[in-house]
Amino acid sequence: MKKFMIVIFMLISSKSFSESAGGIEGGIALMDFGAEETGQRIADISGSTVLVEYDRATWYGRLFYEQELNKESFIDLGYFLTGSLDAKYTLSGASATEGYSMNGVEASYGYRNDGIYFKGGVHQSQVDGKASITIGGTTYASKASASGMGFLLGGGTETDNTRYGVTYYSSVGGLDDADLLVIFYGIKF
C-alpha cells in the first residue's frame, strides 16, 4: 500500500494536471455489526432473556486531497475515521458491552460530469474493538484490532466547492462482514 500511495503522490505532483484541491467531509456512518445476533447467542447460551441496546450509526470525518487529471476525471486520496458503534447486552446478574471504531487511508479514481461524480478505489483500514463483561460487580475488559484492505465505491453531487454524497467501504479492517455506508457533506478548499 505504501508503494501504491508513493506512485499516486508522484503522479499528482506532476505539473501536467489541471487543478487540485483539499477538503473535509463530515457525516454519518452506518454499519450492522451483528448486535442482535450476538444478543441471541448470549440468550441461547445462558438460557435467559437478553436486553440488547446498540448504535446503528456514528459520526464520520474525512480529510482528502483531489487532483484533476482532466475536466472529467480525478484522483482522490483521503484519510477517514469514525466514532464508536457500541452495543450493551443485559441479563440478570450480568452485562456485556462492545464497541468498534474505524479509520484508514484511501485512494480512488473518479469521473464527474454535469455536477455528478462517481468514484471507485481501495482503502487500507483498521477496526479497533473494545469489550467488557460485568458479573457480580466485577468487570473484565479486553481490546483488539484488525487491519486490512478493501474496496470503496461512491458518488454524489458537487456544486462549486461543496459536495453531498455516499461512499460504501467494503471489508473495513480486512474483515469480510465489516461493511460501512457513509452519507456525507463536504467542502473543498
Short mmCIF file of all heavy atoms in Angstrom, two decimals, residues 98-163:
data_model
loop_
_atom_site.label_atom_id
_atom_site.label_comp_id
_atom_site.label_asym_id
_atom_site.label_seq_id
_atom_site.Cartn_x
_atom_site.Cartn_y
_atom_site.Cartn_z
N GLU A 98 -19.72 -3.93 23.90
CA GLU A 98 -18.71 -3.98 22.85
C GLU A 98 -18.81 -2.69 22.05
O GLU A 98 -19.87 -2.07 21.99
CB GLU A 98 -18.89 -5.19 21.93
CG GLU A 98 -20.18 -5.22 21.15
CD GLU A 98 -20.34 -6.45 20.26
OE1 GLU A 98 -19.32 -6.99 19.80
OE2 GLU A 98 -21.49 -6.84 20.02
N GLY A 99 -17.70 -2.27 21.46
CA GLY A 99 -17.67 -1.05 20.66
C GLY A 99 -16.61 -1.14 19.59
O GLY A 99 -15.57 -1.77 19.79
N TYR A 100 -16.88 -0.52 18.44
CA TYR A 100 -15.97 -0.57 17.30
C TYR A 100 -15.83 0.81 16.68
O TYR A 100 -16.83 1.47 16.40
CB TYR A 100 -16.50 -1.54 16.23
CG TYR A 100 -16.73 -2.92 16.77
CD1 TYR A 100 -18.00 -3.31 17.17
CD2 TYR A 100 -15.68 -3.83 16.89
CE1 TYR A 100 -18.22 -4.58 17.69
CE2 TYR A 100 -15.89 -5.09 17.40
CZ TYR A 100 -17.17 -5.46 17.80
OH TYR A 100 -17.38 -6.71 18.31
N SER A 101 -14.59 1.24 16.45
CA SER A 101 -14.32 2.47 15.70
C SER A 101 -13.39 2.13 14.55
O SER A 101 -12.66 1.14 14.60
CB SER A 101 -13.71 3.54 16.61
OG SER A 101 -12.49 3.09 17.16
N MET A 102 -13.43 2.94 13.50
CA MET A 102 -12.69 2.63 12.28
C MET A 102 -11.91 3.84 11.80
O MET A 102 -12.32 4.98 12.03
CB MET A 102 -13.67 2.20 11.18
CG MET A 102 -14.32 0.86 11.48
SD MET A 102 -16.05 0.78 11.00
CE MET A 102 -16.84 1.46 12.43
N ASN A 103 -10.80 3.59 11.12
CA ASN A 103 -10.03 4.64 10.47
C ASN A 103 -9.21 4.04 9.35
O ASN A 103 -8.99 2.82 9.34
CB ASN A 103 -9.12 5.37 11.48
CG ASN A 103 -8.04 4.47 12.02
OD1 ASN A 103 -7.05 4.23 11.36
ND2 ASN A 103 -8.23 3.95 13.23
N GLY A 104 -8.78 4.87 8.41
CA GLY A 104 -7.97 4.34 7.32
C GLY A 104 -7.62 5.38 6.27
O GLY A 104 -8.09 6.52 6.32
N VAL A 105 -6.79 4.96 5.34
CA VAL A 105 -6.42 5.78 4.19
C VAL A 105 -7.05 5.17 2.95
O VAL A 105 -7.34 3.97 2.92
CB VAL A 105 -4.88 5.90 4.02
CG1 VAL A 105 -4.27 6.65 5.18
CG2 VAL A 105 -4.23 4.54 3.85
N GLU A 106 -7.26 6.00 1.95
CA GLU A 106 -7.92 5.51 0.74
C GLU A 106 -7.38 6.23 -0.49
O GLU A 106 -6.86 7.34 -0.40
CB GLU A 106 -9.42 5.73 0.84
CG GLU A 106 -9.80 7.19 1.01
CD GLU A 106 -11.28 7.39 1.21
OE1 GLU A 106 -11.78 7.00 2.28
OE2 GLU A 106 -11.91 7.95 0.30
N ALA A 107 -7.51 5.56 -1.62
CA ALA A 107 -7.15 6.14 -2.91
C ALA A 107 -8.21 5.69 -3.91
O ALA A 107 -8.59 4.52 -3.94
CB ALA A 107 -5.77 5.66 -3.36
N SER A 108 -8.70 6.65 -4.70
CA SER A 108 -9.73 6.29 -5.67
C SER A 108 -9.58 7.10 -6.95
O SER A 108 -8.96 8.17 -6.97
CB SER A 108 -11.13 6.48 -5.09
OG SER A 108 -11.34 7.82 -4.72
N TYR A 109 -10.15 6.57 -8.00
CA TYR A 109 -10.23 7.23 -9.29
C TYR A 109 -11.68 7.64 -9.49
O TYR A 109 -12.59 6.85 -9.20
CB TYR A 109 -9.79 6.29 -10.41
CG TYR A 109 -10.02 6.85 -11.79
CD1 TYR A 109 -9.12 7.76 -12.34
CD2 TYR A 109 -11.14 6.51 -12.53
CE1 TYR A 109 -9.33 8.30 -13.61
CE2 TYR A 109 -11.36 7.03 -13.78
CZ TYR A 109 -10.46 7.93 -14.32
OH TYR A 109 -10.67 8.47 -15.56
N GLY A 110 -11.90 8.87 -9.96
CA GLY A 110 -13.27 9.33 -10.12
C GLY A 110 -13.55 9.94 -11.46
O GLY A 110 -12.65 10.34 -12.20
N TYR A 111 -14.84 10.01 -11.78
CA TYR A 111 -15.34 10.60 -13.01
C TYR A 111 -16.47 11.56 -12.65
O TYR A 111 -17.34 11.23 -11.84
CB TYR A 111 -15.87 9.50 -13.94
CG TYR A 111 -16.54 10.03 -15.18
CD1 TYR A 111 -15.78 10.44 -16.26
CD2 TYR A 111 -17.92 10.15 -15.24
CE1 TYR A 111 -16.39 10.94 -17.40
CE2 TYR A 111 -18.53 10.65 -16.38
CZ TYR A 111 -17.77 11.04 -17.45
OH TYR A 111 -18.37 11.55 -18.57
N ARG A 112 -16.45 12.77 -13.22
CA ARG A 112 -17.50 13.75 -12.96
C ARG A 112 -18.00 14.34 -14.26
O ARG A 112 -17.25 14.49 -15.22
CB ARG A 112 -17.02 14.83 -12.01
CG ARG A 112 -16.08 15.84 -12.59
CD ARG A 112 -15.86 17.07 -11.70
NE ARG A 112 -15.41 16.78 -10.39
CZ ARG A 112 -14.14 16.73 -9.99
NH1 ARG A 112 -13.18 16.94 -10.86
NH2 ARG A 112 -13.83 16.49 -8.75
N ASN A 113 -19.32 14.67 -14.24
CA ASN A 113 -19.93 15.29 -15.39
C ASN A 113 -21.21 15.98 -14.94
O ASN A 113 -22.02 15.36 -14.22
CB ASN A 113 -20.23 14.26 -16.48
CG ASN A 113 -20.59 14.88 -17.80
OD1 ASN A 113 -20.62 16.10 -17.94
ND2 ASN A 113 -20.85 14.05 -18.78
N ASP A 114 -21.40 17.22 -15.33
CA ASP A 114 -22.61 17.99 -15.00
C ASP A 114 -22.96 17.98 -13.52
O ASP A 114 -24.11 17.80 -13.14
CB ASP A 114 -23.80 17.48 -15.82
CG ASP A 114 -23.64 17.75 -17.31
OD1 ASP A 114 -23.00 18.77 -17.65
OD2 ASP A 114 -24.15 16.95 -18.10
N GLY A 115 -21.95 18.13 -12.66
CA GLY A 115 -22.18 18.23 -11.22
C GLY A 115 -22.39 16.92 -10.50
O GLY A 115 -22.61 16.89 -9.29
N ILE A 116 -22.32 15.79 -11.20
CA ILE A 116 -22.47 14.47 -10.58
C ILE A 116 -21.14 13.74 -10.72
O ILE A 116 -20.47 13.83 -11.75
CB ILE A 116 -23.60 13.67 -11.25
CG1 ILE A 116 -24.93 14.38 -11.01
CG2 ILE A 116 -23.64 12.25 -10.72
CD1 ILE A 116 -26.10 13.76 -11.73
N TYR A 117 -20.74 13.04 -9.67
CA TYR A 117 -19.48 12.30 -9.74
C TYR A 117 -19.65 10.88 -9.19
O TYR A 117 -20.53 10.60 -8.38
CB TYR A 117 -18.36 13.03 -9.00
CG TYR A 117 -18.48 12.98 -7.50
CD1 TYR A 117 -17.84 11.97 -6.77
CD2 TYR A 117 -19.23 13.91 -6.81
CE1 TYR A 117 -17.96 11.91 -5.40
CE2 TYR A 117 -19.35 13.86 -5.44
CZ TYR A 117 -18.71 12.86 -4.74
OH TYR A 117 -18.84 12.80 -3.38
N PHE A 118 -18.77 10.00 -9.65
CA PHE A 118 -18.67 8.63 -9.18
C PHE A 118 -17.20 8.33 -8.97
O PHE A 118 -16.35 8.86 -9.67
CB PHE A 118 -19.25 7.64 -10.22
CG PHE A 118 -20.68 7.87 -10.52
CD1 PHE A 118 -21.06 8.62 -11.63
CD2 PHE A 118 -21.67 7.35 -9.69
CE1 PHE A 118 -22.40 8.85 -11.90
CE2 PHE A 118 -23.00 7.58 -9.96
CZ PHE A 118 -23.37 8.32 -11.07
N LYS A 119 -16.91 7.47 -7.98
CA LYS A 119 -15.51 7.10 -7.74
C LYS A 119 -15.45 5.65 -7.27
O LYS A 119 -16.41 5.12 -6.71
CB LYS A 119 -14.84 8.02 -6.72
CG LYS A 119 -15.39 7.91 -5.31
CD LYS A 119 -14.64 8.84 -4.39
CE LYS A 119 -15.12 8.67 -2.95
NZ LYS A 119 -14.32 9.47 -2.02
N GLY A 120 -14.30 5.05 -7.51
CA GLY A 120 -14.04 3.69 -7.05
C GLY A 120 -12.58 3.56 -6.72
O GLY A 120 -11.73 4.18 -7.37
N GLY A 121 -12.27 2.77 -5.70
CA GLY A 121 -10.87 2.62 -5.32
C GLY A 121 -10.67 1.61 -4.21
O GLY A 121 -11.48 0.69 -4.04
N VAL A 122 -9.60 1.81 -3.46
CA VAL A 122 -9.23 0.89 -2.39
C VAL A 122 -8.99 1.66 -1.10
O VAL A 122 -8.75 2.87 -1.12
CB VAL A 122 -7.95 0.09 -2.75
CG1 VAL A 122 -8.18 -0.80 -3.94
CG2 VAL A 122 -6.77 1.01 -2.98
N HIS A 123 -9.08 0.94 0.01
CA HIS A 123 -8.74 1.53 1.30
C HIS A 123 -7.92 0.53 2.10
O HIS A 123 -8.06 -0.68 1.96
CB HIS A 123 -9.99 1.95 2.08
CG HIS A 123 -10.90 0.82 2.44
ND1 HIS A 123 -10.72 0.04 3.57
CD2 HIS A 123 -11.99 0.34 1.82
CE1 HIS A 123 -11.67 -0.88 3.61
NE2 HIS A 123 -12.46 -0.72 2.56
N GLN A 124 -7.03 1.06 2.92
CA GLN A 124 -6.28 0.30 3.91
C GLN A 124 -6.79 0.83 5.23
O GLN A 124 -6.60 2.00 5.55
CB GLN A 124 -4.77 0.54 3.77
CG GLN A 124 -3.93 -0.08 4.86
CD GLN A 124 -3.92 -1.59 4.82
OE1 GLN A 124 -3.94 -2.19 3.76
NE2 GLN A 124 -3.89 -2.22 5.98
N SER A 125 -7.46 -0.03 6.00
CA SER A 125 -8.16 0.48 7.18
C SER A 125 -7.97 -0.42 8.39
O SER A 125 -7.47 -1.53 8.29
CB SER A 125 -9.66 0.63 6.87
OG SER A 125 -10.18 -0.59 6.41
N GLN A 126 -8.40 0.10 9.53
CA GLN A 126 -8.28 -0.61 10.80
C GLN A 126 -9.58 -0.48 11.57
O GLN A 126 -10.21 0.58 11.58
CB GLN A 126 -7.15 -0.01 11.62
CG GLN A 126 -6.95 -0.68 12.97
CD GLN A 126 -5.68 -0.20 13.64
OE1 GLN A 126 -4.64 -0.08 13.01
NE2 GLN A 126 -5.76 0.06 14.93
N VAL A 127 -9.99 -1.56 12.21
CA VAL A 127 -11.12 -1.57 13.12
C VAL A 127 -10.56 -1.80 14.52
O VAL A 127 -9.83 -2.78 14.75
CB VAL A 127 -12.14 -2.68 12.78
CG1 VAL A 127 -13.25 -2.73 13.81
CG2 VAL A 127 -12.70 -2.48 11.39
N ASP A 128 -10.85 -0.90 15.44
CA ASP A 128 -10.44 -1.05 16.83
C ASP A 128 -11.67 -1.44 17.64
O ASP A 128 -12.69 -0.76 17.60
CB ASP A 128 -9.86 0.25 17.38
CG ASP A 128 -8.58 0.63 16.66
OD1 ASP A 128 -7.72 -0.24 16.50
OD2 ASP A 128 -8.46 1.81 16.25
N GLY A 129 -11.56 -2.54 18.38
CA GLY A 129 -12.69 -3.02 19.16
C GLY A 129 -12.36 -3.07 20.64
O GLY A 129 -11.21 -3.27 21.04
N LYS A 130 -13.38 -2.87 21.44
CA LYS A 130 -13.24 -2.99 22.89
C LYS A 130 -14.46 -3.74 23.40
O LYS A 130 -15.55 -3.63 22.84
CB LYS A 130 -13.11 -1.61 23.54
CG LYS A 130 -14.33 -0.72 23.35
CD LYS A 130 -14.11 0.66 23.95
CE LYS A 130 -15.35 1.49 24.00
NZ LYS A 130 -15.97 1.93 22.84
N ALA A 131 -14.26 -4.50 24.45
CA ALA A 131 -15.37 -5.27 25.02
C ALA A 131 -15.17 -5.38 26.52
O ALA A 131 -14.05 -5.31 27.03
CB ALA A 131 -15.43 -6.66 24.41
N SER A 132 -16.28 -5.53 27.23
CA SER A 132 -16.20 -5.78 28.67
C SER A 132 -17.40 -6.61 29.08
O SER A 132 -18.44 -6.61 28.42
CB SER A 132 -16.18 -4.46 29.45
OG SER A 132 -17.42 -3.79 29.34
N ILE A 133 -17.22 -7.33 30.16
CA ILE A 133 -18.31 -8.10 30.74
C ILE A 133 -18.28 -7.86 32.25
O ILE A 133 -17.21 -7.82 32.86
CB ILE A 133 -18.21 -9.61 30.40
CG1 ILE A 133 -19.43 -10.36 30.93
CG2 ILE A 133 -16.91 -10.21 30.90
CD1 ILE A 133 -19.58 -11.76 30.38
N THR A 134 -19.44 -7.63 32.82
CA THR A 134 -19.56 -7.40 34.26
C THR A 134 -20.42 -8.50 34.86
O THR A 134 -21.56 -8.70 34.44
CB THR A 134 -20.20 -6.03 34.54
OG1 THR A 134 -19.41 -5.02 33.91
CG2 THR A 134 -20.28 -5.75 36.03
N ILE A 135 -19.83 -9.21 35.81
CA ILE A 135 -20.53 -10.30 36.51
C ILE A 135 -20.39 -10.07 38.00
O ILE A 135 -19.26 -9.99 38.50
CB ILE A 135 -19.95 -11.68 36.13
CG1 ILE A 135 -20.03 -11.89 34.60
CG2 ILE A 135 -20.68 -12.80 36.87
CD1 ILE A 135 -19.31 -13.12 34.12
N GLY A 136 -21.51 -9.93 38.67
CA GLY A 136 -21.47 -9.74 40.13
C GLY A 136 -20.68 -8.54 40.57
O GLY A 136 -20.00 -8.59 41.60
N GLY A 137 -20.68 -7.45 39.79
CA GLY A 137 -19.97 -6.24 40.17
C GLY A 137 -18.52 -6.18 39.73
O GLY A 137 -17.86 -5.17 39.89
N THR A 138 -17.97 -7.26 39.19
CA THR A 138 -16.59 -7.27 38.71
C THR A 138 -16.59 -7.18 37.19
O THR A 138 -17.30 -7.92 36.52
CB THR A 138 -15.87 -8.56 39.14
OG1 THR A 138 -15.94 -8.67 40.57
CG2 THR A 138 -14.42 -8.55 38.69
N THR A 139 -15.78 -6.25 36.67
CA THR A 139 -15.72 -6.02 35.23
C THR A 139 -14.41 -6.54 34.66
O THR A 139 -13.34 -6.31 35.21
CB THR A 139 -15.86 -4.52 34.91
OG1 THR A 139 -17.10 -4.05 35.42
CG2 THR A 139 -15.79 -4.25 33.43
N TYR A 140 -14.52 -7.25 33.54
CA TYR A 140 -13.36 -7.76 32.80
C TYR A 140 -13.40 -7.10 31.42
O TYR A 140 -14.44 -7.08 30.78
CB TYR A 140 -13.45 -9.28 32.66
CG TYR A 140 -13.64 -9.99 33.98
CD1 TYR A 140 -14.92 -10.27 34.47
CD2 TYR A 140 -12.54 -10.36 34.75
CE1 TYR A 140 -15.10 -10.91 35.68
CE2 TYR A 140 -12.72 -10.99 35.97
CZ TYR A 140 -13.99 -11.26 36.43
OH TYR A 140 -14.17 -11.90 37.64
N ALA A 141 -12.26 -6.55 31.00
CA ALA A 141 -12.22 -5.81 29.74
C ALA A 141 -11.14 -6.34 28.82
O ALA A 141 -10.14 -6.92 29.27
CB ALA A 141 -11.98 -4.33 30.01
N SER A 142 -11.35 -6.15 27.52
CA SER A 142 -10.34 -6.53 26.53
C SER A 142 -10.43 -5.58 25.34
O SER A 142 -11.43 -4.90 25.14
CB SER A 142 -10.53 -7.97 26.08
OG SER A 142 -11.74 -8.10 25.35
N LYS A 143 -9.36 -5.57 24.55
CA LYS A 143 -9.30 -4.77 23.33
C LYS A 143 -8.67 -5.61 22.23
O LYS A 143 -7.87 -6.50 22.51
CB LYS A 143 -8.43 -3.52 23.54
CG LYS A 143 -8.99 -2.52 24.50
CD LYS A 143 -8.08 -1.32 24.61
CE LYS A 143 -8.66 -0.30 25.57
NZ LYS A 143 -7.82 0.88 25.67
N ALA A 144 -9.04 -5.31 20.99
CA ALA A 144 -8.46 -5.99 19.84
C ALA A 144 -8.59 -5.07 18.63
O ALA A 144 -9.38 -4.13 18.63
CB ALA A 144 -9.17 -7.31 19.58
N SER A 145 -7.81 -5.35 17.61
CA SER A 145 -7.94 -4.59 16.37
C SER A 145 -7.66 -5.50 15.19
O SER A 145 -7.02 -6.54 15.33
CB SER A 145 -7.01 -3.37 16.35
OG SER A 145 -5.67 -3.78 16.34
N ALA A 146 -8.15 -5.09 14.04
CA ALA A 146 -7.91 -5.81 12.79
C ALA A 146 -7.62 -4.78 11.72
O ALA A 146 -8.19 -3.69 11.73
CB ALA A 146 -9.13 -6.65 12.42
N SER A 147 -6.73 -5.11 10.80
CA SER A 147 -6.44 -4.19 9.70
C SER A 147 -6.33 -4.96 8.40
O SER A 147 -6.00 -6.15 8.38
CB SER A 147 -5.17 -3.39 9.97
OG SER A 147 -4.07 -4.25 10.09
N GLY A 148 -6.62 -4.27 7.32
CA GLY A 148 -6.55 -4.91 6.01
C GLY A 148 -7.11 -3.99 4.94
O GLY A 148 -7.49 -2.86 5.20
N MET A 149 -7.16 -4.52 3.72
CA MET A 149 -7.62 -3.74 2.57
C MET A 149 -9.03 -4.13 2.16
O MET A 149 -9.48 -5.24 2.41
CB MET A 149 -6.68 -3.95 1.38
CG MET A 149 -5.32 -3.32 1.56
SD MET A 149 -4.32 -3.45 0.08
CE MET A 149 -5.12 -2.28 -0.99
N GLY A 150 -9.68 -3.21 1.48
CA GLY A 150 -10.98 -3.44 0.89
C GLY A 150 -11.18 -2.45 -0.24
O GLY A 150 -10.33 -1.63 -0.53
N PHE A 151 -12.34 -2.53 -0.89
CA PHE A 151 -12.62 -1.58 -1.96
C PHE A 151 -13.65 -0.56 -1.49
O PHE A 151 -14.31 -0.74 -0.47
CB PHE A 151 -13.09 -2.30 -3.23
CG PHE A 151 -14.47 -2.86 -3.15
CD1 PHE A 151 -15.59 -2.10 -3.48
CD2 PHE A 151 -14.68 -4.18 -2.76
CE1 PHE A 151 -16.86 -2.61 -3.41
CE2 PHE A 151 -15.95 -4.71 -2.69
CZ PHE A 151 -17.05 -3.92 -3.02
N LEU A 152 -13.77 0.51 -2.25
CA LEU A 152 -14.78 1.52 -1.96
C LEU A 152 -15.42 1.98 -3.26
O LEU A 152 -14.80 1.98 -4.32
CB LEU A 152 -14.19 2.71 -1.20
CG LEU A 152 -13.19 3.61 -1.93
CD1 LEU A 152 -13.86 4.79 -2.60
CD2 LEU A 152 -12.15 4.12 -0.95
N LEU A 153 -16.69 2.34 -3.15
CA LEU A 153 -17.45 2.91 -4.25
C LEU A 153 -18.22 4.11 -3.71
O LEU A 153 -18.72 4.05 -2.58
CB LEU A 153 -18.45 1.91 -4.82
CG LEU A 153 -17.88 0.66 -5.49
CD1 LEU A 153 -19.00 -0.32 -5.81
CD2 LEU A 153 -17.13 1.03 -6.75
N GLY A 154 -18.29 5.16 -4.48
CA GLY A 154 -19.02 6.33 -4.00
C GLY A 154 -19.53 7.18 -5.13
O GLY A 154 -19.21 6.97 -6.30
N GLY A 155 -20.34 8.14 -4.76
CA GLY A 155 -20.89 9.05 -5.73
C GLY A 155 -21.65 10.15 -5.04
O GLY A 155 -21.92 10.09 -3.84
N GLY A 156 -21.97 11.18 -5.81
CA GLY A 156 -22.72 12.28 -5.25
C GLY A 156 -22.85 13.42 -6.22
O GLY A 156 -22.67 13.26 -7.43
N THR A 157 -23.11 14.58 -5.66
CA THR A 157 -23.27 15.78 -6.46
C THR A 157 -22.37 16.88 -5.92
O THR A 157 -22.13 16.95 -4.72
CB THR A 157 -24.75 16.22 -6.48
OG1 THR A 157 -24.88 17.36 -7.32
CG2 THR A 157 -25.27 16.55 -5.11
N GLU A 158 -21.84 17.69 -6.84
CA GLU A 158 -20.97 18.80 -6.48
C GLU A 158 -21.52 20.11 -7.03
O GLU A 158 -22.00 20.14 -8.16
CB GLU A 158 -19.57 18.61 -7.08
CG GLU A 158 -18.80 17.48 -6.51
CD GLU A 158 -17.41 17.38 -7.15
OE1 GLU A 158 -17.28 17.55 -8.37
OE2 GLU A 158 -16.48 17.12 -6.39
N THR A 159 -21.45 21.14 -6.22
CA THR A 159 -21.80 22.49 -6.66
C THR A 159 -20.73 23.42 -6.12
O THR A 159 -20.53 23.48 -4.90
CB THR A 159 -23.18 22.91 -6.12
OG1 THR A 159 -24.12 21.90 -6.42
CG2 THR A 159 -23.63 24.21 -6.72
N ASP A 160 -20.05 24.12 -6.99
CA ASP A 160 -18.95 24.99 -6.59
C ASP A 160 -17.97 24.22 -5.70
O ASP A 160 -17.38 23.26 -6.15
CB ASP A 160 -19.46 26.25 -5.89
CG ASP A 160 -20.32 27.10 -6.83
OD1 ASP A 160 -19.99 27.19 -8.02
OD2 ASP A 160 -21.32 27.66 -6.36
N ASN A 161 -17.83 24.60 -4.43
CA ASN A 161 -16.88 23.94 -3.54
C ASN A 161 -17.56 23.05 -2.50
O ASN A 161 -16.95 22.73 -1.48
CB ASN A 161 -16.00 24.98 -2.85
CG ASN A 161 -15.03 25.61 -3.81
OD1 ASN A 161 -14.61 24.99 -4.79
ND2 ASN A 161 -14.66 26.85 -3.57
N THR A 162 -18.78 22.67 -2.72
CA THR A 162 -19.47 21.77 -1.78
C THR A 162 -19.87 20.49 -2.49
O THR A 162 -20.07 20.46 -3.71
CB THR A 162 -20.73 22.43 -1.17
OG1 THR A 162 -21.66 22.70 -2.21
CG2 THR A 162 -20.37 23.70 -0.43
N ARG A 163 -20.01 19.44 -1.70
CA ARG A 163 -20.44 18.16 -2.26
C ARG A 163 -21.29 17.42 -1.24
O ARG A 163 -21.11 17.57 -0.03
CB ARG A 163 -19.25 17.31 -2.69
CG ARG A 163 -18.31 16.93 -1.58
CD ARG A 163 -17.33 15.83 -1.92
NE ARG A 163 -16.40 16.21 -2.96
CZ ARG A 163 -15.33 15.50 -3.29
NH1 ARG A 163 -15.07 14.38 -2.68
NH2 ARG A 163 -14.54 15.89 -4.23
#
